[in-house]
Amino acid sequence: MTDTGPQQTAVASSHMSTDSKFEPWFVTEKRANLGEDANPLFLRGSAVGDVLGVFDGMGGAGSILVPDENEVDKCSMAHLASEWAKRAAASIFNQWGKEELSNLKTQIEAAITEKLLYLTTRPGGKGPEGKLRGTMLSMYPTTVALAVVRPMKDELRQRQLKVLWAGDSRIYALDFSEKIPLQQLTRDHTQSGDGGDGALSRFASADGLELEESDFNLPPSAAVIAMTDGCYGYMSPFRLLYTLVKHLVRSRDEEDWIGRIKKDISAAAGDDTSFAISFGEGGFEECRKQAEKSLDSLEQVAHIQELSPPNPYIVPFEDSAYLKLLINHETRRQNASVGTNAGTDIESASSTLTLADHAVPAPSVTEPGSSVFSAPSNTGGGKEESSDTFPKDELKD
Amino acid sequence: MAQGLRYHIDLAFCIDVTGSMTPVIDLVKENVRKFPHDVRDALAKKDKVIDTLRIRVIAFRDVASDSDALSASEFFVVEPSTDLARYESFVKGLSASGGGDEPESALEALGIAQASDWTHEGDKQRHIIVMFTDASAHKLEDRVGEVSGSYRDQVPASLDELTDRWEGGQTVRIRKTARRLLIFGPDAYPWNVLADTWGQTVWLQSQAGKGMEDVEYQTILSTIVNSV
């Protein structure tokens, strides 16, 4: 977490790995050196697979001032929580081999809780002892969103994706075979489940952590993105998608793209931001090639929003085409057990979702994708029903 | 600069103006007076610009012993500074007296604060109640005295009812996602109960006869600012 000076968004984006390869992630801070988003966790080609993680310390609940890491100055609990949660998760992934991921969730939960609990044991680590209390406060609270991508040995060249999260940091798939290429894979732990301004019902803290977990089979070229609410909370889903796609097509290379989207996203954000991406087969170049096909249709409608006053809103998780597939996957499984044909359900779910369903005009040139996206399982968090009605222009609260 | 989001913040200060607050009332008044300026500056440092900040003050004593036990202002618009002078004048006019012995009528004041005409304007709202007291509070159920005139309908008959309102009851305009309660009060009923049972609450424990130290004021300020 670094800064570029007062009165402007502080930006960190070092991204060279030990083998001098550029790592596609960024983090920005609204207040220099007081940011509450950790630098993303980014592992490429490790034994466990590719790993992305973002961690957003919760400034309201974690506002109590405690000694900083060097015990020289004071900082908020939130500031320390995200960084230490990241380190804990990294320590698990660094030890993980090629074994199954079935107990990854419990190990990460334990490691993060242990680290955050340790922070409370430092002198002054609980803040002004006994003077501050309340349901709004937590000891070292932070969101967690993790994605692990592993190759699968199947004919479709699919990849296994495990998603673990608590809070309102998100994992997305960027899949240009979907009509709306940016697909939200996590459901926020807020009252409404779709971002919003209310208290989080799940997050990591010294009191413990219960991650939600989902598993997906990714098509070969789909990228996976992790981001905190600073990235998605201040622009419409369309604007976020358009920002990613526009710069994908126009950038010289991966590093140029990260620089461009960092600039646009942080300029819009009223919060710290952190973002990391793991590209699919063919890497950045393949992703860019696919993005070119989408850009025309997005450009056709982009100017309409440009003419309007800024009106940010949050797409509900329930509107994710991918969730519809997830729900229909469950429906198919259930229907299969009573002898009905559910393959049709999946196709119709995919084809009925268009950008017109969202609060932006529909591009007319994009055909519905025949996605090979599939979802083997979800351990809680998916809604039982989905709504085809998008609450237009409704802001999260 | 963050684009687009409009922040609307409403604050209700509940201030104990009984005699026991005499040693600290000037400090409380000074903190309350400078609060609009401090909160605006602190938010600006986070690159957040307040569209509208409104503040009202509910001064309370003891309905069991004081005829003027409850006095509430309207919401003053202090950012932009439309009503800033009137707000400062209202705060300046507060003086500590009466109250008899503990407890005081803080829960009645809290009821009036809950029933405020909270804003639903803008993209993001905060409905914040800040309680300053050095005493415990009468139980509403005890009905120790008559709540006068226009406030009568705003004060619930029991703590349960007050709690229901806070936790999402539809009888008041306060929004569950926007609400915050900051208590600067002693380790006594009901503060030690509310701190553990009401959502989105922070309790900064005060000591009898001692005012709010700067570090405590900064804590309240940062708690509000960080939750916006």
Side-chain angles (χ1 to χ4, degrees):
Chain A
M1 292 179 274
T2 60
D3 76 284
T4 56
Q7 304 305 317
Q8 60 176 315
T9 302
V11 178
S13 57
S14 72
H15 311 329
M16 291 300 168
S17 60
T18 49
D19 56 359
S20 296
K21 283 189 176 167
F22 178 76
E23 294 182 344
W25 57 262
F26 67 78
V27 60
T28 67
E29 297 178 316
K30 275 296 165 193
R31 287 181 298 169
N33 299 320
L34 293 174
E36 288 156 356
D37 282 15
N39 287 357
L41 174 59
F42 184 89
L43 299 173
R44 183 161 43 196
S46 69
V48 67
D50 290 350
V51 177
L52 300 178
V54 288
F55 308 82
D56 178 5
M58 294 159 57
S63 60
I64 297 174
L65 294 178
V66 290
D68 68 6
E69 196 153 3
N70 302 316
E71 304 197 348
V72 173
D73 213 338
K74 295 271 187 192
C75 68
S76 70
M77 287 186 172
H79 177 77
L80 284 179
S82 56
E83 178 61 25
W84 281 64
K86 175 202 162 180
R87 290 181 200 171
S91 70
I92 296 296
F93 287 117
N94 284 329
Q95 295 165 24
W96 208 277
K98 294 189 183 303
E99 60 265 35
E100 286 299 306
L101 302 175
S102 52
N103 66 341
L104 180 67
K105 172 180 174 297
T106 52
Q107 294 217 24
I108 288 177
E109 286 169 346
I112 289 178
T113 303
E114 184 187 357
K115 283 269 191 213
L116 299 181
L117 196 55
Y118 161 75
L119 289 170
T120 68
T121 65
R122 304 174 306 143
K126 290 183 178 172
E129 197 79 45
K131 292 197 81 175
L132 266 181
R133 209 165 98 188
T135 52
M136 193 178 136
L137 300 174
S138 289
M139 290 283 168
Y140 300 94
T142 180
T143 71
V144 177
L146 294 161
V148 186
V149 189
R150 305 178 117 178
M152 291 169 70
K153 290 172 183 161
D154 68 352
E155 291 177 354
L156 296 172
R157 307 189 317 280
Q158 292 184 101
R159 289 169 301 142
Q160 175 191 4
L161 169 65
K162 179 174 283 295
V163 173
L164 298 162
W165 79 101
D168 61 356
S169 295
R170 293 180 178 175
I171 304 295
Y172 289 85
L174 184 59
D175 175 10
F176 289 101
S177 68
E178 283 289 339
K179 188 159 186 176
I180 297 177
L182 192 61
Q183 292 288 310
Q184 187 183 334
L185 305 182
T186 52
R187 184 171 192 271
D188 302 329
H189 292 124
T190 57
Q191 192 179 16
S192 59
D194 60 351
D197 196 20
L200 297 181
S201 57
R202 278 198 211 187
F203 50 88
S205 78
D207 294 326
L209 167 62
E210 185 186 354
L211 292 163
E212 190 166 338
E213 178 177 31
S214 286
D215 294 283
F216 305 94
N217 292 343
L218 281 180
S221 60
V224 179
I225 296 174
M227 66 175 84
T228 53
D229 64 342
C231 295
Y232 69 77
Y234 296 86
M235 49 172 76
S236 71
F238 172 81
R239 188 60 47 189
L240 179 60
L241 169 63
Y242 181 57
T243 300
L244 298 178
V245 172
K246 175 180 68 177
H247 290 307
L248 254 174
V249 173
R250 296 175 184 166
S251 298
R252 288 190 311 275
D253 53 25
E254 191 175 359
E255 187 169 354
D256 186 32
W257 179 62
I258 286 290
R260 286 168 180 247
I261 62 170
K262 177 176 66 181
K263 186 178 169 199
D264 281 8
I265 289 173
S266 63
D271 198 355
D272 304 328
T273 67
S274 48
F275 175 102
I277 183 167
S278 170
F279 290 105
E281 201 173 84
F284 173 80
E285 286 304 328
E286 178 61 27
C287 192
R288 172 157 67 180
K289 202 179 296 175
Q290 296 198 24
E292 284 172 357
K293 290 181 284 184
S294 288
L295 184 59
D296 280 351
S297 56
L298 296 178
E299 299 241 290
Q300 284 181 28
V301 294
H303 69 284
I304 296 172
Q305 279 213 337
E306 301 288 358
L307 293 174
S308 305
N311 187 12
Y313 54 91
I314 304 301
V315 68
F317 179 63
E318 287 77 3
D319 248 37
S320 158
Y322 186 73
L323 181 66
K324 291 182 183 229
L325 293 176
L326 178 67
I327 290 167
N328 280 280
H329 171 82
E330 289 302 309
T331 306
R332 180 170 65 169
R333 189 180 56 76
Q334 289 161 15
N335 289 346
S337 66
V338 293
T340 59
N341 180 355
T344 308
D345 292 337
I346 291 183
E347 285 170 18
S348 63
S350 178
S351 62
T352 53
L353 193 91
T354 71
L355 272 177
D357 294 325
H358 290 70
V360 291
S364 57
V365 295
T366 309
E367 292 301 317
S370 54
S371 176
V372 290
F373 235 6
S374 59
S377 68
N378 172 272
T379 57
K383 289 203 37 147
E384 298 276 320
E385 298 175 356
S386 73
S387 165
D388 285 331
T389 309
F390 186 84
K392 291 177 174 55
D393 296 333
E394 187 171 320
L395 290 159
K396 66 176 182 175
D397 58 353
Chain B
M1 190 68 68
Q3 303 296 311
L5 284 188
R6 294 176 301 138
Y7 295 89
H8 284 241
I9 301 175
D10 278 355
L11 266 160
F13 284 118
C14 298
I15 304 176
D16 181 341
V17 289
T18 59
S20 64
M21 289 285 283
T22 301
V24 298
I25 192 68
D26 285 343
L27 185 57
V28 170
K29 284 164 61 177
E30 174 57 15
N31 286 336
V32 168
R33 190 197 61 76
K34 70 180 184 178
F35 194 82
H37 178 265
D38 289 349
V39 77
R40 184 189 59 214
D41 280 4
L43 280 168
K45 284 178 186 166
K46 294 185 74 179
D47 205 16
K48 291 179 177 174
V49 179
I50 302 173
D51 197 83
T52 307
L53 172 62
R54 303 189 308 164
I55 302 183
R56 72 180 299 208
V57 176
I58 299 136
F60 64 91
R61 295 190 172 94
D62 186 348
V63 295
S65 58
D66 300 303
S67 57
D68 57 345
L70 295 162
S71 171
S73 76
E74 63 198 286
F75 269 122
F76 298 107
V77 178
V78 296
E79 182 63 43
S81 57
T82 315
D83 303 325
L84 188 59
R86 288 174 57 223
Y87 167 70
E88 291 186 345
S89 173
F90 187 91
V91 174
K92 193 177 175 185
L94 297 174
S95 61
S97 65
D101 294 333
E102 272 198 280
E104 317 294 3
S105 293
L107 285 178
E108 285 83 349
L110 201 48
I112 295 167
Q114 280 186 345
S116 299
D117 181 27
W118 299 104
T119 181
H120 288 187
E121 297 291 311
D123 304 323
K124 250 189 163 186
Q125 303 90 29
R126 282 291 175 265
H127 300 160
I128 303 167
I129 300 174
V130 184
M131 170 68 67
F132 293 101
T133 183
D134 66 348
S136 60
H138 287 298
K139 290 185 176 175
L140 291 168
E141 295 83 345
D142 291 347
R143 292 182 178 78
V144 294
E146 192 69 17
V147 174
S148 61
S150 57
Y151 304 128
R152 195 170 300 140
D153 293 341
Q154 299 173 28
V155 177
S158 68
L159 183 62
D160 282 350
E161 202 179 316
L162 199 69
T163 302
D164 285 347
R165 276 185 180 183
W166 186 252
E167 297 302 338
Q170 299 301 309
T171 56
V172 289
R173 279 174 61 84
I174 200 161
R175 272 198 173 153
K176 197 171 179 182
T177 52
R179 70 193 169 150
R180 303 285 186 269
L181 172 61
L182 277 76
I183 302 162
F184 185 71
D187 186 5
Y189 176 88
W191 319 122
N192 47 14
V193 176
L194 302 191
D196 292 336
T197 55
W198 281 22
Q200 296 300 298
T201 298
V202 175
W203 173 35
L204 188 56
Q205 201 173 308
S206 66
Q207 291 175 343
K210 277 197 167 181
M212 182 180 292
E213 294 170 5
D214 188 54
V215 66
E216 293 165 336
Y217 173 74
Q218 292 301 332
T219 300
I220 285 187
L221 184 66
S222 72
T223 303
I224 290 173
V225 167
N226 286 325
S227 71
V228 170

